[in-house]
Amino acid sequence: MITSLRVASTLQMILNIGLICLALILIVFLGKETQHLAWAMLNTDEQKSSFLLIEGIVNYFLYFEFIALIVKYFQSGYHFPLRYFIYIGITAIIRLIIVDHKNPQDTLYYSAAILLLVITLWLANSHRLKRE
């Protein structure tokens, strides 16, 4: 019994250290994305600049959401809330639509995936599935 608790607490500590390292790496990339956004705003090629700016903003939100997920993990007692993963999935698919929108059928599939994730988010936030 005591050894299983010791193993569990050791693994939890390793997981926490790994998540802190991951958060620091994501913060560095968030800073680089901030520089990328500033460069895209100052770029003179308007067509390319607006595309890079929109893609950069969505990437920025992805980094931000992953960092928020790690913060929420520590605040909620070592638990990842499902809705944060759904938010990240929706943002990632939106980024994919912005970057790769050449095939209309693929865009329709991506939109259906977003709709499915929104329905999942609604179900996850319904009263039947909420934790007390």
Side-chain angles (χ1 to χ4, degrees), residues 1-7:
M1 177 81 173
I2 293 176
T3 55
S4 64
L5 289 176
R6 182 173 285 163
V7 169

Side-chain angles (χ1 to χ4, degrees), residues 16-28 66-67 70:
N16 291 345
I17 291 170
L19 281 174
I20 289 170
C21 291
L22 179 63
L24 293 173
I25 292 168
L26 287 172
I27 288 170
V28 168
F66 275 114
I67 293 169
I70 292 171

